[in-house]
Amino acid sequence: MVSGCVDCGRCALACPTEALSVPGFDITPTTSGMISIDCWRVPPRHSPSGAMRVPCLGGLSTAVLAELTAEAEGRPVALLDRGFCARCQAGGSKHPDAHPAETVIDAIQRLLEDCGVAPTTWPRLVALPLPATRMVKGMGEPLLESRVSRRALFTGQALRTSQPASGPRAAPPAQTTGLGRQRLLAALQRLSAAEQPLPARLFPSLTAGSDCADHGICASACPTGALTGYADDTARGLHFDAAACIACDLCTRLCPEQALTLDGSGETATERTPQRLTRHAIRTCPECGAEHSNPEPVCPACRRDRDFARSAFLAFGRQPPASSPQPDAGEAGS
Amino acid sequence: MAKWGMVIDLDKCTGCQACTTACAMENNRLPGENWQDVLFYHEGTYPNVKLMWFPRPCMHCENPSCVSVCPTKATYKDPDGGFVLMDYNKCIGCKYCQVACPYGVRFYVDEKAVVQPDIRGVFPSETDRQWDPPYKGPQDDPSRGIGIQPHGVVSKCTFCYHKVSKAPKGVADLDEDIPELKEYVPACVRVCAPKARFFGDLDQPNSNVNKMIADKRGVRLKDETGNKPQVYYLSGGATASVPSLRSMSDSDKG
């Protein structure tokens, strides 16, 4: 972290792959009394006894709030609004009209409502104003001048790239993707009445149209691993796990064929267990012998070369031979 | 200053791939990753099938889109001969140029080998180069993209810069039939058995290549992209001499 960081934890909240984590948000509720969450910038002596303290209320995730509600067993969870967020350097001053935790509270309240949890136990903001002069300073200085300039960043990257890689690459860290999502689902399941399914809004519906050409761009871009590619002996395609999907819409936006449709509103019924979304039979390219799953006979590389050569012959005013009485299967598939 | 260009007569090309092989030998290319290729494809469905082919080197454009997009200026237009060259020392392997090239003639070979088994395992390199073939070309100039391709960079046809740039000043055409010039002729041109390829200076009005382009209406591919290739293709006129084109031109007459 650069020295300009104020540990508010909102980067971790926004990160779809959960690659970032900020310490201070793993909190466990007190055993008795009201459950209240306070900000680090409130002096400890002003916090109610037993209050849990986090770096910033805006960094609390729905998973943490759902777990707290489940642990609280009926006691309300109060997020203390001290009224000085607008003057805090942790981004509050950028959005003075809303409390930083408002979006997350809205989301968790909607989910709890869908789960049939009584409104009295929902997490909520509780106003407990404190003069802004009491706000703790020194949670990090906005040392803008010490940040890496854009030019220096790229120059450093270019130098690193030009060096030959030495030694084996370090192993990637253990997989963390989807942990927060699993925690949210588990906590909501505990809160839900027995036998009642979780709200449909948690399981986005993704459908693939017939235009899908099995590029696999969507699967390679999916930040949570909800959409992955599979391959067996005869076919390959996409594998979708609605429970891991966060409806970020990246797959539908990146699809070059615009073949994917996503509905995150919960209105479309969907399978909640992992499913195979598409299936493309593997075939052998008649030109180069490569195995591919293109809808037409030739593989994508040969198709590109063929289209190039065909366009070149067209440049001489020559149409492709029209002598073939049968329709060209390759053309029909493209 | 010369502006070297190539003329390829499609009516003479027989698709023998001698140019491809010569390029692979000259530039120590990995199997299947040749800078110059003859594209083969089929038109129609069985039993009405025609085999078509099309030779495709780098076009060495006057206004190359690969140069425009290169973030590190690793690929550049050589001002002395009009070559489009690569500086392996500057390339960061981002592959923008591969996407930008309308002709598909840029090569990044650090992925799965096209031809199995992977020959890089047979002749492993101890340097940053892709492989260590038993025969290596005597020329090695990473700043111009000549020599065995290193890891993590994109490579491309050099128009045989290491030969052409040594040609005597002021020569209009590099013809492999002239004994004193044949060492300066690009490998693909020199080996072309049906003599479908010609190489010369496009800046000299009297050069043979300029005459052919004018007389036989040379065509630049994908001219609508504004790249202005320095490789011209000839086809048409009388009945095509290439069997694959003959019936097409016959039907054109009708």
Side-chain angles (χ1 to χ4, degrees):
Chain A
M1 290 286 180
V2 294
S3 47
C5 174
V6 292
D7 293 325
C8 71
R10 274 187 259 178
C11 54
L13 193 61
C15 177
T17 64
E18 297 172 31
L20 296 167
S21 72
V22 177
F25 289 94
D26 284 327
I27 47 181
T28 46
T30 46
T31 47
S32 63
M34 195 176 88
I35 295 179
S36 52
I37 310 177
D38 213 347
C39 169
W40 273 8
R41 280 138 184 96
V42 176
R45 61 195 161 88
H46 289 289
S47 278
S49 67
M52 292 167 290
R53 295 164 59 80
V54 293
C56 173
L57 296 186
L60 289 167
S61 64
T62 47
V64 168
L65 290 179
E67 281 181 342
L68 278 178
T69 315
E71 295 275 335
E73 291 166 347
R75 290 172 287 160
V77 177
L79 281 71
L80 301 182
D81 181 4
R82 297 304 192 155
F84 55 51
C85 287
R87 299 191 48 188
C88 175
Q89 50 180 290
S93 53
K94 301 260 175 63
H95 312 281
D97 296 334
H99 190 272
E102 222 158 64
T103 333
V104 174
I105 287 178
D106 281 351
I108 188 73
Q109 285 186 352
R110 276 205 310 275
L111 287 172
L112 292 175
E113 185 182 7
D114 290 349
C115 289
V117 179
T120 48
T121 61
W122 292 356
R124 76 198 62 176
L125 276 177
V126 174
L128 198 63
L130 198 69
T133 47
R134 299 275 172 86
M135 188 164 69
V136 173
K137 301 282 192 298
M139 295 303 296
E141 299 294 324
L143 294 174
L144 292 172
E145 66 274 15
S146 73
R147 290 190 182 162
V148 182
S149 73
R150 208 169 63 151
R151 176 171 290 270
L153 175 71
F154 284 116
T155 319
Q157 292 290 344
L159 284 176
R160 267 174 49 197
T161 316
S162 64
Q163 305 294 329
S166 58
R169 285 183 185 172
Q175 192 71 22
T176 57
T177 303
L179 273 183
R181 180 108 181 135
Q182 287 168 19
R183 284 168 59 193
L184 174 68
L185 293 182
L188 289 177
Q189 194 68 65
R190 278 170 64 193
L191 284 162
S192 299
E195 306 300 320
Q196 188 188 344
L198 285 174
R201 129 184 23 252
L202 282 169
F203 299 93
S205 136
L206 185 70
T207 45
S210 56
D211 290 340
C212 173
D214 204 29
H215 297 294
I217 297 171
C218 48
S220 66
C222 179
T224 64
L227 196 57
T228 49
Y230 73 89
D232 56 30
D233 290 341
T234 56
R236 59 192 188 193
L238 295 170
H239 189 264
F240 180 61
D241 181 4
C245 176
I246 57 171
C248 67
D249 212 22
L250 202 57
C251 49
T252 57
R253 276 187 285 142
L254 287 179
C255 176
E257 316 290 341
Q258 302 194 336
L260 290 171
T261 317
L262 179 79
D263 181 11
S265 66
E267 283 164 12
T268 316
T270 181
E271 292 286 346
R272 300 189 170 193
T273 47
Q275 297 286 328
R276 286 191 171 179
L277 201 62
T278 58
R279 185 182 184 282
H280 293 272
I282 293 176
R283 44 171 105 197
T284 307
C285 174
E287 305 280 353
C288 68
E291 288 192 339
H292 68 98
S293 57
N294 217 25
E296 60 177 311
V298 295
C299 72
C302 287
R303 177 188 162 179
R304 205 173 53 233
D305 283 352
R306 182 199 67 192
D307 290 349
F308 173 77
R310 206 177 255 173
S311 76
F313 281 120
L314 282 174
F316 300 105
R318 293 169 182 276
Q319 299 300 320
S323 57
S324 170
Q326 299 169 5
D328 186 353
E331 278 299 288
S334 61
Chain B
M1 294 300 154
K3 183 171 91 179
W4 296 109
M6 193 185 284
V7 171
I8 303 178
D9 194 337
L10 292 177
D11 296 347
K12 289 185 182 172
C13 174
T14 59
C16 68
Q17 296 274 30
C19 44
T20 310
T21 313
C23 178
M25 296 299 292
E26 183 71 32
N27 298 298
N28 296 118
R29 300 302 301 155
L30 288 167
E33 301 277 6
N34 309 302
W35 283 339
Q36 122 80 45
D37 200 358
V38 182
L39 308 176
F40 279 84
Y41 67 102
H42 296 86
E43 288 280 11
T45 47
Y46 180 83
N48 297 308
V49 187
K50 283 194 175 65
L51 182 62
M52 311 283 286
W53 58 85
F54 193 86
R56 176 181 65 175
C58 171
M59 305 289 156
H60 289 268
C61 308
E62 277 179 53
N63 182 23
S65 42
C66 54
V67 170
S68 312
V69 299
C70 182
T72 61
K73 290 188 164 50
T75 185
Y76 59 99
K77 185 87 178 155
D78 183 81
D80 290 339
F83 306 89
V84 178
L85 298 173
M86 276 296 300
D87 189 340
Y88 288 152
N89 298 325
K90 290 183 185 169
C91 178
I92 56 172
C94 71
K95 298 184 261 184
Y96 280 11
C97 52
Q98 270 192 309
V99 178
C101 176
Y103 308 100
V105 284
R106 290 187 150 259
F107 298 86
Y108 185 82
V109 300
D110 284 63
E111 285 143 7
K112 188 186 169 199
V114 175
V115 177
Q116 297 292 344
D118 192 348
I119 202 164
R120 286 173 288 197
V122 182
F123 299 109
S125 168
E126 295 182 354
T127 62
D128 64 337
R129 302 304 174 98
Q130 292 281 348
W131 62 317
D132 188 18
Y135 166 79
K136 285 183 275 295
Q139 290 80 19
D140 190 72
D141 188 353
S143 69
R144 292 193 172 92
I146 300 163
I148 303 165
Q149 183 170 353
H151 286 286
V153 300
V154 173
S155 70
K156 70 176 291 298
C157 159
T158 62
F159 250 7
C160 281
Y161 179 92
H162 53 283
K163 291 162 160 276
V164 175
S165 61
K166 297 194 183 93
K169 293 274 177 267
V171 65
D173 282 286
L174 293 179
D175 190 338
E176 67 271 23
D177 290 342
I178 304 172
E180 53 267 30
L181 288 180
K182 70 178 182 185
E183 280 305 316
Y184 312 118
V185 181
C188 57
V189 179
R190 186 169 170 186
V191 300
C192 185
K195 204 167 166 60
R197 289 183 183 235
F198 304 88
F199 197 83
D201 188 354
L202 298 175
D203 268 358
Q204 297 197 27
N206 294 323
S207 65
N208 187 28
V209 283
N210 267 337
K211 283 180 191 157
M212 273 192 293
I213 292 165
D215 293 348
K216 298 188 177 177
R217 288 174 294 163
V219 167
R220 299 192 292 201
L221 295 187
K222 297 200 177 185
D223 226 3
E224 71 276 9
T225 61
N227 272 29
K228 297 185 185 169
Q230 286 171 213
V231 174
Y232 289 75
Y233 287 84
L234 306 179
S235 180
T239 305
S241 54
V242 178
S244 73
L245 290 172
R246 194 170 293 148
S247 59
M248 281 168 56
S249 56
D250 290 343
S251 63
D252 284 352
K253 284 178 182 172

